[in-house]
Each structure stands twice: as structure tokens, then as C-alpha cells.
Amino acid sequence: MTDRPLLGLGTLDRLPETARPLIDPATTEVGVLHLGLGVFHRGHQVGYTEEAMAATGDTRWGICAAGIRSRATVDALAAQDGLFAVLVRDGRPEPVELRVYGALRETLLGAEVVERLADPRITVVTLTVTEKGYLPGSAVIEWLAAGLRRRAAAGAGPVTVLSCDNLPRNGRVVGDAVRAAAGELRGWIEENVAFPSSMVDRIVPYVRPEDLEAVAAGLGVTDRAAVATEPFRQWVIEDRFAADRPAWERAGALIVPDVTPYELMKLRLLNGAHSLIAYLGLLHGCETIAEAVSRDDIAAAVRALMDEDVTPTLPVPEGFDLEAYKRSLMARFANPALRHQTTKVAEDGSLKLPLRLVTVLRERLAAGATPAHAALAIAAWMRWVSVAPRLDDPLADRLRAAAADATGPRSLVDALLPFLDPDPPRQAAELITDRLATLW
Ligand code: CS2
């Protein structure tokens, strides 16, 4: 890999014809500011935006993307003129697609976004900052508020802030957080900023050295910012924009009046199941999601979670084939080419579980049902908190301290449940304890 030249504008003509960007990076302007330069952004929104530009010939929508904390990806992309490849794989040996994208035109780090928001050509801000990015007082929210203040002062005009994270009503959440941080700017925000909600979906694992090797072999150049992902992708966006935007619908995105049904389906069926698979998988020593669902007991628990606990809580959109959707989820989880790390999905459980599983638990208990599999997922998280060699969670220290004194299932539930639900329904602790006993 090391003796191949680096991907960049100067080496584009070395790429195989089929792997070249769909647009000319040299003539693409910047119209989108993105926060959160992780694998998900590179594997999802960049492709949609590039395809939208290619389909319309409207070259205003290049992306300026900012890393939140880490320099590594920002530097890798800067060294490659913003170019990177997406390697798409199903279970077969040959990749489904390998393409370099050119839509990412500029990179920034952290607070630099504040200044950038004052550019009138930027009319859309997209976010993939994970659940913790929306906590009150988080740096992202502060930068957005400060950036909008700069924008108002510069008279740069209306802008849309579009959340692409796995939170119900993510537009509402970010809008409320920004308004709360914006003080006297609230009036201007009311008039000039829209916060649509959106549902995003594509499984994009952390990149492995083997993925980078495969990309280099396929491209003939070295790419240190490539990502590997699955063929499936989906983006459903609430039709609520303050200003011009890329024609994402030309790339297959759905622009709808209300994203709620899509959001609940995805969050509870995909993400809820994902968490169950990750924690049970980790407790059984499985490194990947595919390995975990290859176990019959885990696969059965996942189907039961979807069918018995989640399905009754979902408002299904007209004409939507829920059964086919659930089957496709099982097939996506089982994709052996992804090697999606159980530890990645297990991160930040204290923030994820309330949104994807505790809601289901509450709703089913209120309906008089016994959501045993939602309870099992929560129990598996609790067990993982108490035995994990390393816990990746903003509350890791507090969770560990709380779990340390637990002597059995019931005391562990009593110690950890308040982190997920400050006021749990009466039967919750008992049901989770019962499930936890089976994992003890
Ligand atoms: C996963 C998601 O890490 C997680 O919590 O459940 O990142 C999931 O892979 C994506 O939402 C799929 O669209």
C-alpha cells in the first residue's frame, strides 16, 4: 500500500473509469456545511449529495465537512484534496461498487465552523454528531449558536440545520437545544432557520486495514480516508427547508411531510435490534454483529424483539411491507462482508438505550404487555456495563461506580436503571431483573 501514490486531484486520472467521481471536484462550489466527519457521513450523505449534483448539473452543493474532536480524518482528507472512496460489499467476494467521491471540497476542525456559517453560499448545515452531540452544553450546540449569531450579523440569510443522527424528532431536538443556547438571537432563528427531522440509514462500520488494502488494490492509489459499507441506504427528510438545498430526492432520498413513522420503525427495529445483538454478542465473545446473529439463540431473540415487542408500537406508513423490512434487516445484520464491530454499536449505551429500547419497554408495559425482549436487551447492557473490560460511554465512570457494588441481578438493576429512566414504570425493574438472572 505504501508505494502507491496518494489519492488526490493529481491522481484522479489513474483511477479506473468506473471509480471516478460523478462530478468535477474542480468546478464544485461549497453550499453545505457538515459537522461530524465520521465514517457514517462519508458512507451516506456525501454520496447522496454528489449524485444529486450529477443528476441536476447544479454544482453549488459541495460539502465543507468539520471533524468534531479528532484531527486524524480531517488531515487525511485534506492531504487527499477531500477525495475518498466508498467500498460497497454484500456477502460476495467481489465488491458491489468502489467509487471515489468528489463532493467533499473542504475540511475544518471544531470551532472553525463558527466562522464558516457566515458564508451566504452555505444554506444547509448537516449533522452527524451522535447522541452525545445533542446534550445541553455540548460543543456542537455552542458552535451552532455562535455560528448563527455570526451569520445573522453578516446578513448571510436563512439556513437549514438538518440532523442526521438516530434520535426521534432529531430536528426538534437540535432546534430546541440551539434556541436554548442562542439567547437574544431566538427571534432571528425563528425567522431564518429551519430544523427538519430526518431518518438516515446505512450500516457503516469502523474502517479496518483490510478495507484500505482492498480499496488501494481496486483503485491503484492509496486512500487513507476510505470507508466500507453495505449496498442498502435510506434517507427520509422532513420537507421543511429555510433556503435552497441539494436535490437529494434525485439520488433516492424521500422528502416527506412527516418522518415520524419512518423514524420510529428504523430506530426501534434496526437500532433497537442492533443494541440487543451487540450486548448479547459481546457477552458471548462475538466480535461482529454478523457473528452474533449467526447464533440461533441471538437470532431468535432479535426476531422476537421485533415481532412481539416493537411491532405493536409502530405506526406503519400506508402500503409499507413491514414483514419484508424485518427480513431485510436480518439479512443486513448477517452480511459477513461488513465485519461491523459489536463494540461500535455498544458505545454510548446510556444515551442510545432510552431512545431505542426504553421507549418500547414503557409503551408495552403501559399497554399491559410483557416486553421480555426489550427487557433482555436492557439487561444485556447492564451485564455488559458490569463486566466490560472497557466501557465507551460519556457516563462510563459513573456507570462503573454504580455497578461495582451490585451483588446480584436485582441490585444491578436498581443501580443502573435510573441512568436510563429517571422514573421507570413499576414493573420495569422486576422484568429486567428476571431477564438479567438468565445472563448472570
Ligand atoms: C448502530 C447505528 O452504532 C449504532 O448504534 O445501531 O450506527 C446503525 O448502524 C445505523 O443507524 C444504521 O443506519
Side-chain angles (χ1 to χ4, degrees), residues 40 44 131 164-166 199-206 230 232-234 266-267 270-275 278-279 289 332-333 340-348 352 356:
F40 186 75
H44 189 274
E131 293 81 355
C164 303
D165 282 294
N166 294 317
M199 178 274 251
V200 291
D201 190 7
R202 196 171 212 184
I203 295 173
V204 191
Y206 287 134
E230 60 174 344
F232 184 91
R233 65 173 196 180
Q234 197 177 15
K266 194 265 173 167
L267 197 62
L270 190 157
N271 298 115
H274 238 171
S275 294
Y279 297 118
I289 296 291
R332 291 171 63 196
F333 294 149
H340 191 197
Q341 304 84 356
T342 40
T343 46
K344 178 173 195 285
V345 179
E347 285 167 13
D348 299 346
K352 289 174 176 173
R356 39 179 89 169

Side-chain angles (χ1 to χ4, degrees), residues 85 195 329 422 426:
F195 298 95
L329 291 181
R426 206 170 35 81

Side-chain angles (χ1 to χ4, degrees), residues 308-309 361 364-375 427 431 434-435:
E308 293 163 32
D309 297 353
L361 183 87
R364 294 303 287 150
L365 284 174
T370 306
H373 298 91
Q427 315 94 311
L431 186 57
D434 178 64
R435 301 289 80 202

